[in-house]
Amino acid sequence: FLLIRREPLVIPHAFPWVLGYLMASLLSAMLSRDSSSAAESVGIFVTEGLLLYLLVVNAVRTERMVVAIVCVLLAVGAVLGAISFHQELTQNYGNEYLGFAQVGGVGEDVLTGESESRTAGPLGRANRYAQVMVLLLPLVFAVVWARYSRRSSLLAIGAGILIAIAVALTLSRGAAVGFGLVVALMIALRYVRWRTVAMTGIAVVLLFLAVPQYATRLETLERLPGIAPEGVEADGSIRSRLTETIAAALVVVDHPVLGVGPGQFPTYYTTYAEEFGLRVRSEDREAHNLYFGIASDVGIIGSFFFFAAIWVTIRDLARTRAQLIASHPRLAHLAAGFMLAIVAYLTTGLF
């Protein structure tokens, strides 16, 4: 587009805010106690964040390209879901399927004490795999809403089933909560009818029947520290996550403006976790919370630019949907799908 067709460079409205985030990250890195390590994190953001963002925005210029990308995303999600499902059916956890079905952890079920395996897809991290796959589910709804054809709707639903099974096999509680909040938002914004909600509910029940260990895993959400029933010990994993999040919050209190440097919170974890430790791990740990993680790394200034970039993007998608819903409903539904995908990422980012 740029070199051969001589079309202009596309600069999205969120780009200045992304640049602002980069500037805040650079300042934070310069002032951090390990500036070389922080600079590496900034370099990753430039290549895998800023430049990749610009490349994608400038490559996707037509509706046909958008539709093709959605189809590819759902197809890839379906293939990964099918691989994860096959691995579970055959209990073949010793085979990583060329790296596309890694095991994210094997331990004891928090309720039954039985051994459990968590699929982690090509990422090797079960919770991250679940988070990525959940982002595809709003796009499934978007394709169905767009009504390109009965065949496309059925294929999208089939892909959605395989994607949902893969999410369930990760045993990720955060992904379930995130998707639940997305469904609630769709209802609030009247994106879906109650019939669709009922069908989604039936699908969730069938999912729990197909992967009963996921339902068991979600039951542990009632074992949050402070609200767990009397005589029931709070879930260890949840206590660990809360410790990491609180430690990040304490870092923000001590380093509010520019944080401790990009990617540097894990090195501060142990020191701050011991101040308020529900369950302290003797190793460097991430914040396990998108917002406190960013705030601890780049402070309030970096967080401001981060949220501004997201807000501008969601605002533009919402405006696109509103402007095209009558004249070009298919594109409007795709805009809604991408907007809800971002919301899914933001909600799962809480955990």
Side-chain angles (χ1 to χ4, degrees), residues 110 173 217-225 234-246 278-279 281 351:
V110 291
R173 292 168 291 192
R217 176 85 170 175
L218 294 181
E219 289 177 9
T220 62
L221 288 172
E222 68 176 10
R223 302 172 66 183
L224 285 167
D235 179 65
S237 175
I238 295 177
R239 287 189 290 119
S240 176
R241 298 288 181 85
L242 283 175
T243 299
E244 290 148 14
T245 299
I246 293 171
L278 297 172
R279 188 187 183 194
R281 304 280 187 91
F351 316 104

Side-chain angles (χ1 to χ4, degrees), residues 26-89:
L26 285 171
L27 278 175
S28 179
M30 291 170 60
L31 298 174
S32 68
R33 67 184 183 187
D34 188 353
S35 57
S36 61
S37 175
E40 289 181 10
S41 295
V42 175
I44 292 174
F45 172 73
V46 170
T47 55
E48 298 182 10
L50 185 68
L51 293 180
L52 185 60
Y53 174 53
L54 273 180
L55 286 171
V56 171
V57 168
N58 278 274
V60 185
R61 292 175 180 248
T62 65
E63 179 184 358
R64 182 179 180 183
M65 179 73 81
V66 174
V67 173
I69 285 176
V70 170
C71 291
V72 169
L73 287 172
L74 295 184
V76 171
V79 170
L80 290 175
I83 293 174
S84 297
F85 191 32
H86 180 269
Q87 185 183 52
E88 171 67 17
L89 288 176

Side-chain angles (χ1 to χ4, degrees), residues 46-289:
V46 170
T47 55
E48 298 182 10
L50 185 68
L51 293 180
L52 185 60
Y53 174 53
L54 273 180
L55 286 171
V56 171
V57 168
N58 278 274
V60 185
R61 292 175 180 248
T62 65
E63 179 184 358
R64 182 179 180 183
M65 179 73 81
V66 174
V67 173
I69 285 176
V70 170
C71 291
V72 169
L73 287 172
L74 295 184
V76 171
V79 170
L80 290 175
I83 293 174
S84 297
F85 191 32
H86 180 269
Q87 185 183 52
E88 171 67 17
L89 288 176
T90 59
Q91 292 292 297
N92 191 13
Y93 283 98
N95 183 356
E96 293 189 347
Y97 296 78
L98 301 177
F100 289 105
Q102 300 176 44
V103 177
V106 180
E108 289 188 349
D109 187 285
V110 291
L111 292 180
T112 66
E114 298 177 356
S115 177
E116 61 177 4
S117 296
R118 304 179 63 186
T119 185
L123 302 179
R125 298 169 63 187
N127 290 323
R128 181 68 73 182
Y129 179 46
Q131 185 181 38
V132 171
M133 294 292 271
V134 162
L135 301 188
L136 300 178
L137 293 177
L139 299 182
V140 172
F141 284 105
V143 172
V144 174
W145 295 334
R147 296 180 181 178
Y148 287 99
S149 66
R150 180 180 296 272
R151 178 184 176 186
S152 64
S153 296
L154 290 175
L155 287 173
I157 292 172
I161 291 172
L162 291 172
I163 291 167
I165 290 175
V167 172
L169 291 174
T170 66
L171 305 182
S172 172
R173 292 168 291 192
V177 174
F179 179 68
L181 291 174
V182 169
V183 172
L185 181 61
M186 289 193 297
I187 296 172
L189 298 178
R190 298 181 181 179
Y191 283 142
V192 295
R193 298 178 181 178
W194 285 107
R195 183 178 65 179
T196 304
V197 175
M199 293 177 63
T200 302
I202 293 172
V204 170
V205 171
L206 293 175
L207 181 64
F208 287 158
L209 292 175
V211 190
Q213 63 267 36
Y214 194 39
T216 303
R217 176 85 170 175
L218 294 181
E219 289 177 9
T220 62
L221 288 172
E222 68 176 10
R223 302 172 66 183
L224 285 167
I227 66 171
E230 186 177 353
V232 177
E233 184 181 0
D235 179 65
S237 175
I238 295 177
R239 287 189 290 119
S240 176
R241 298 288 181 85
L242 283 175
T243 299
E244 290 148 14
T245 299
I246 293 171
L250 293 175
V251 169
V252 176
V253 172
D254 285 350
H255 306 269
V257 181
L258 287 170
V260 295
Q264 299 307 296
F265 166 74
T267 63
Y268 287 77
Y269 160 74
T270 303
T271 301
Y272 282 87
E274 290 176 348
E275 294 183 21
F276 188 94
L278 297 172
R279 188 187 183 194
V280 181
R281 304 280 187 91
S282 58
E283 58 184 351
D284 292 348
R285 301 284 292 177
E286 294 182 4
H288 269 101
N289 179 289

